């Protein structure tokens, strides 16, 4: 069984009185294992978790979907929480080996705030481009191949060789293979939402898709782009979606004409067998 709780999102559910921000963080219970998927931009996920009765210090692992600030900068507040609670064990941190690259966009620094050395004081780092099973049925997908559509650059990477386009090779996702089919959990889907769905099936061997939850990076998409995504999802057997974070209204409206698109926001809990 898997239970997913949204701790941070651009939106909040009405009448719940939680905090929102333009970032993403999910709490995932899978069997007897607990994972934090991304940490948003600030301490909002910590404050919301406390109000929901979720103890983040009980996590078995932290997973970074990719190395952008709206998914990783909250980790600074998380390790401060760890310091105050004096944890007796070190959770695992799973991410792509390129997650700590120096990323910029529009003149702004958008990469991670804490590097591998600092995080290594609090976590056992597992940096892998290969898929890994984190808990029974729950898979870290590693580097996502361009099986369906080409990647698009988002900002720049700056290193000793200069500046180059960032194709977000560090962008990954989770997939849970349960009795109802695959539940795919994404951060921003810079790898391409269709590529992620296709790769999740390859990694897990499960082709039935129960749900896709997270940011689809569908912002100001052209009609042609929307049509291509919808056509692929229909061919893949997608029926239910929980798009949030970096998925705009036009994309949600287009998707809702073809699939069951459910409301998302901070405070939402979804359970899967």
């Amino acid at each position: 069984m898997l239970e997913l709780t949204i701790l941070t999102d651009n939106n909040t559910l009405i009448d719940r009185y939680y905090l929102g921000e333009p970032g993403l963080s999910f709490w995932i219970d899978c069997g007897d294992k607990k994972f934090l998927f991304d940490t948003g931009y600030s301490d909002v996920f910590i404050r919301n978790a406390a109000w929901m009765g979720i103890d983040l210090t009980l996590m078995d692992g932290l997973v970074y979907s990719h190395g952008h600030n709206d998914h990783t900068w909250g980790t600074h507040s998380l390790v401060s929480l760890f310091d105050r609670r004096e944890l007796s064990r070190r959770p695992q941190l799973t991410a792509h080996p390129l997650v700590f690259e120096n990323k910029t966009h529009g003149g702004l620094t958008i990469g991670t705030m804490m590097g591998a050395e600092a995080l290594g004081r609090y976590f056992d780092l597992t940096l892998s481009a290969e898929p890994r099973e984190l808990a029974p049925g729950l898979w870290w997908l590693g580097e996502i191949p361009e099986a369906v559509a080409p990647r698009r650059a988002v900002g720049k990477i700056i290193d000793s060789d200069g500046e180059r386009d960032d194709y977000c090779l560090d962008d990954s996702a989770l997939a849970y293979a349960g009795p109802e089919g695959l539940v795919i959990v994404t951060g921003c889907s810079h790898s391409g939402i269709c590529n992620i769905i296709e790769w999740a099936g390859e990694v897990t061997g499960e082709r039935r898709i129960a749900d896709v939850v997270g940011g689809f990076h569908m912002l100001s998409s052209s009609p042609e782009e929307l049509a291509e995504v919808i056509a692929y999802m229909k061919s893949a057997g997608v029926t239910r979606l929980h798009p949030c974070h970096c998925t705009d209204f036009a994309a949600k409206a287009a998707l809702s004409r073809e699939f069951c698109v459910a409301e998302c926001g901070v405070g939402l809990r979804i359970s899967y067998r």
Side-chain angles (χ1 to χ4, degrees), residues 29 60 84 92 155 170 177 181 262:
D29 277 286
D60 293 283
R84 292 194 297 273
Q92 185 178 62
D170 59 312

Side-chain angles (χ1 to χ4, degrees), residues 69-221:
N69 54 354
D70 52 339
H71 296 256
T72 63
W73 276 19
T75 309
H76 183 270
S77 297
L78 180 64
V79 298
S80 295
L81 174 65
F82 285 178
D83 280 340
R84 292 194 297 273
R85 296 286 291 273
E86 297 182 354
L87 296 192
S88 60
R89 62 192 182 92
R90 291 157 54 88
Q92 185 178 62
L93 194 162
T94 303
H96 190 283
L98 301 178
V99 74
F100 300 116
E101 289 185 312
N102 184 14
K103 297 171 179 285
T104 67
H105 185 66
L108 299 174
T109 297
I110 64 168
T112 58
M113 182 185 297
M114 300 183 70
E117 182 179 355
L119 288 171
R121 301 189 188 109
Y122 298 92
F123 298 93
D124 290 328
L125 270 58
T126 300
L127 303 179
S128 175
E130 299 300 319
R132 297 176 62 89
E133 192 172 21
L134 304 182
L138 182 66
W139 286 84
W140 155 255
L141 295 181
E143 190 166 316
I144 311 293
E146 294 178 322
V148 180
R151 290 174 176 268
R152 296 181 180 179
V154 180
K156 303 288 185 179
I157 294 171
I158 300 176
D159 57 21
S160 58
D161 295 324
E163 182 180 282
R164 65 185 188 277
D165 288 339
D166 183 8
Y167 287 92
C168 298
L169 296 179
D170 59 312
D171 180 81
S172 191
L174 296 177
Y176 170 69
E180 299 171 330
L182 275 183
V183 177
I184 299 168
V185 181
T186 72
C188 253
S189 301
H190 292 298
S191 298
I193 187 60
C194 299
N195 291 331
I196 290 170
I197 294 171
E198 185 71 15
W199 185 235
E202 287 290 328
V203 169
T204 64
E206 173 62 77
R207 292 293 179 175
R208 296 171 301 142
I209 300 171
D211 202 355
V212 186
V213 187
F216 295 175
H217 208 258
M218 297 175 70
L219 299 165
S220 302
S221 300

